[in-house]
């Protein structure tokens, strides 16, 4: 068992760290206020090779393994969980095509990501959140094309993406056996961007509604077979959950670092508050939680990289790291007291950012369900 990163991985981590310190952390508060990323940020991220990390070498990408990708997302999460989410959403949107797409679909999507384009994964709807099988968007086949009608909500990169992975139902009666995946380019007639969300946290990430009104796509836009969409979505979420968990780890680690530094500087009763054992116990508990979450993330990624079953560990990592992010950021605010609660210090934003980690890409209640099912049945 090897716990250390290789020299190449450490070099890559250092590069991402520098990028985060230069391009993300100094603007995190401003981006949070503006409810948007700084202009050019994604272009700079693309130039750094951060948007196409899972694109295989045969399609012109670096084809990084999951452990390395998680390491990158952990670093991004330290700077801003919102930006990390937007960047990671490209991996989420790519998996369906990489898993089940044909060569042409893979080539088109990978070329887009290699050239700095953005992608979005669109499963969620007003009536289909945890119940992913409840998708009401319809795809009706007529000859060699499909007509799509419906609405998607809470779509990360929704307003920014160049291409969308849309899940629609090809069965009149609906249900998971009719769920089917399609690639829909942004400029397709009938496709439009709806309301942009004004969120509690991860505000620099763009979250929008998508509207499909008689969107006609060729049969060649379908990914996999009709009715294969639920399995594709589940496989995709399995693969992407450790990455969300990695963002949670980075977020929690950065809150811990800020709180620990503050505790050494802040003096009360004539001494740094770090000398008080109640503060020390909090710091120790925070550090233990972050480290155990990290171990789960890398275990899940390692299993995936070995080609072993990893769905349970993916759910565990997402659930545990998300809960840890919430607990650790809350404790960081507590250690910093009134200053922690003020927008003048970054932990207030981090605590707001952490909440979504327990909600998106499958609520932590759903993750517990997945874990229990894997153990019991
Ligand atoms: N990998 C492959 N197949 C899977 C799977 C997985 N991880 N999970 C379920 N399936 C398959 C099952 O094997 C079953 O196949 P068969 O009918 O052929 O036996 C089918 O999918 C249905 O499974 P299940 O009965 O468990 O489906 P449910 O409708 O009960 O839903 C949950 C299962 C709740 C786990 C699923 O809907 C889910 O993950 N929901 C959360 C969705 C989510 O993460 N949304 C976030 C928005 S996208 S960012």
């Amino acid at each position: 068992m090897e716990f250390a990163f290789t020299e190449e991985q450490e070099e890559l981590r250092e590069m991402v760290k520098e990028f985060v310190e230069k391009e993300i952390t100094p603007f995190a508060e401003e981006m949070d206020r503006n409810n948007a990323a700084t202009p050019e940020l994604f272009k700079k991220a693309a130039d750094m090779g951060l948007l196409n990390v899972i694109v295989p070498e045969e399609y012109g990408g670096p084809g990084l393994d999951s452990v390395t990708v998680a390491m990158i997302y952990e670093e991004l999460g330290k700077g801003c969980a919102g930006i990390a989410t937007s960047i990671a959403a490209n991996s989420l949107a790519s998996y369906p095509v990489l898993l089940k797409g044909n060569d042409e679909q893979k080539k088109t999507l990978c070329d887009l990501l290699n050239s700095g384009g953005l992608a979005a994964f669109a499963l969620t709807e007003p009536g289909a959140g945890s119940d992913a099988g409840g998708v009401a968007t319809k795809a009706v086949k007529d000859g060699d094309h499909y007509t799509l009608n419906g609405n998607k909500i809470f779509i990360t990169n929704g307003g920014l993406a160049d291409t969308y992975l849309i899940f629609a139902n090809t069965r009149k009666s609906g249900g998971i056996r009719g769920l089917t995946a399609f690639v829909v380019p942004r400029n397709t007639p009938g496709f439009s961007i709806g309301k942009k969300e004004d969120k509690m946290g991860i505000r620099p990430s763009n979250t929008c509604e998508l509207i499909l009104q008689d969107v006609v796509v060729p049969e060649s836009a379908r990914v996999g077979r009709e009715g294969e969409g639920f399995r594709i979505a589940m496989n995709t979420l399995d693969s992407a959950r450790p990455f969300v968990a990695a963002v949670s780890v980075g977020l929690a680690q950065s809150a811990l670092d800020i709180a620990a530094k503050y505790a050494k500087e802040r003096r009360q009763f004539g001494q740094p508050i770090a000398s008080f054992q109640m503060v020390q116990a909090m710091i120790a508990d925070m550090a233990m939680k972050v480290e155990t979450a990290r171990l789960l993330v890398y275990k899940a990624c390692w299993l995936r990289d070995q080609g072993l079953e990893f769905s349970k560990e993916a759910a565990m990592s997402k659930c545990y790291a998300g809960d840890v992010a919430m607990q650790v950021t809350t404790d960081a605010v507590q250690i910093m007291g009134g200053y922690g609660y003020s927008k003048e210090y970054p932990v207030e934003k981090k605590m707001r950012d952490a909440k979504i980690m327990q909600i998106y890409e499958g609520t932590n209640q759903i993750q517990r369900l997945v874990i229990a099912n894997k153990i019991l049945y």
Side-chain angles (χ1 to χ4, degrees):
M1 200 177 286
E2 180 60 79
F3 282 102
F5 287 115
T6 63
E7 216 172 290
E8 291 81 39
Q9 284 171 320
E10 285 297 356
E11 275 171 25
L12 184 57
R13 187 211 280 278
E14 218 34 59
M15 269 169 53
V16 180
K17 210 171 146 192
E18 272 174 37
F19 178 79
V20 168
E21 282 166 7
K22 186 163 168 259
E23 303 290 350
I24 299 181
T25 309
F27 306 105
E29 190 259 337
E30 177 193 330
M31 293 191 288
D32 180 59
R33 213 176 335 110
N34 294 345
N35 201 22
T38 47
E40 304 288 300
L41 180 56
F42 293 117
K43 192 186 166 311
K44 287 176 188 165
D47 291 345
M48 279 285 299
L50 295 174
L51 299 189
N52 63 344
V53 285
I54 65 160
V55 171
E57 283 178 11
E58 58 178 310
Y59 291 99
L64 297 180
D65 55 85
S66 301
V67 167
T68 309
V69 173
M71 183 196 78
I72 291 173
Y73 291 161
E74 183 184 335
E75 288 308 315
L76 292 172
K78 289 178 185 172
C80 172
I83 295 302
T85 294
S86 277
I87 290 177
N90 290 294
S91 298
L92 178 68
S94 315
Y95 275 125
V97 171
L98 293 177
L99 287 168
K100 289 288 172 180
N102 58 36
D103 193 52
E104 191 53 39
Q105 289 167 338
K106 286 183 190 168
K107 200 176 162 319
T108 308
L109 181 71
C110 292
D111 283 353
L112 176 83
L113 293 176
N114 290 338
S115 62
L118 293 176
F121 177 89
L123 175 66
T124 303
E125 298 187 357
S130 291
D131 181 10
V135 162
T137 294
K138 291 277 176 235
V140 178
K141 190 154 189 243
D142 183 10
D144 61 356
H145 65 267
Y146 288 89
T147 304
L148 275 61
N149 276 290
N151 277 39
K152 297 287 173 184
I153 54 165
F154 305 146
I155 306 305
T156 301
N157 292 345
L160 306 175
D162 302 281
T163 203
Y164 297 80
L165 228 296
I166 305 273
F167 289 84
N169 212 302
T170 43
R171 268 188 166 192
K172 252 204 184 108
S173 51
I176 62 170
R177 305 239 175 265
L179 211 61
T180 307
F182 296 90
V183 184
V184 179
R186 184 193 179 98
N187 56 7
T188 311
F191 180 81
S192 59
I193 316 297
K195 185 181 110 194
K196 179 180 168 187
E197 294 297 332
D198 189 7
K199 309 187 295 293
M200 170 196 273
I202 60 162
R203 292 168 60 79
S205 78
N206 176 287
T207 313
C208 282
E209 178 191 16
L210 308 177
I211 302 158
L212 296 105
Q213 268 179 329
D214 292 330
V215 172
V216 177
V217 293
E219 203 175 352
S220 60
R222 195 187 68 225
V223 180
R225 295 188 309 273
E226 277 192 15
E228 212 181 356
F230 192 77
R231 198 163 282 267
I232 292 175
M234 291 301 115
N235 283 333
T236 295
L237 289 167
D238 281 348
S239 294
R241 281 172 181 156
F243 295 159
V244 174
V247 174
S248 290
V249 170
L251 171 60
Q253 179 70 58
S254 66
L256 167 60
D257 292 345
I258 293 166
K261 181 168 179 287
Y262 176 89
K264 288 197 280 183
E265 290 164 0
R266 169 76 173 165
R267 294 180 73 84
Q268 287 291 276
F269 306 102
Q271 51 195 311
I273 62 166
S275 65
F276 299 126
Q277 289 183 340
M278 277 201 215
V279 173
Q280 290 177 5
M282 285 177 82
I283 299 273
D285 284 342
M286 290 157 80
M288 282 192 283
K289 286 173 186 169
V290 176
E291 192 58 22
T292 40
R294 182 178 287 120
L295 290 172
L296 257 178
V297 169
Y298 289 105
K299 169 85 182 285
C301 291
W302 178 85
L303 286 169
R304 185 179 190 280
D305 289 339
Q306 305 305 308
L308 299 168
E309 173 55 43
F310 69 102
S311 168
K312 181 178 84 215
E313 286 75 9
M316 283 179 168
S317 67
K318 154 69 175 69
C319 184
Y320 188 74
D323 286 348
V324 161
M326 196 66 246
Q327 291 159 7
V328 167
T329 54
T330 305
D331 284 349
V333 168
Q334 187 67 23
I335 288 173
M336 296 177 68
Y339 296 107
Y341 199 65
S342 162
K343 281 190 189 293
E344 259 176 60
Y345 285 82
V347 289
E348 177 268 348
K349 170 185 182 294
K350 289 181 189 293
M351 185 177 160
R352 282 186 287 111
D353 285 353
K355 188 62 211 166
I356 196 64
M357 299 298 167
Q358 298 176 303
I359 299 172
Y360 72 178
E361 287 201 31
T363 63
N364 280 5
Q365 284 70 29
I366 290 291
Q367 308 307 326
R368 287 182 166 89
L369 207 94
V370 170
I371 297 162
N373 277 338
K374 290 281 172 194
I375 293 166
L376 296 171
Y377 306 110

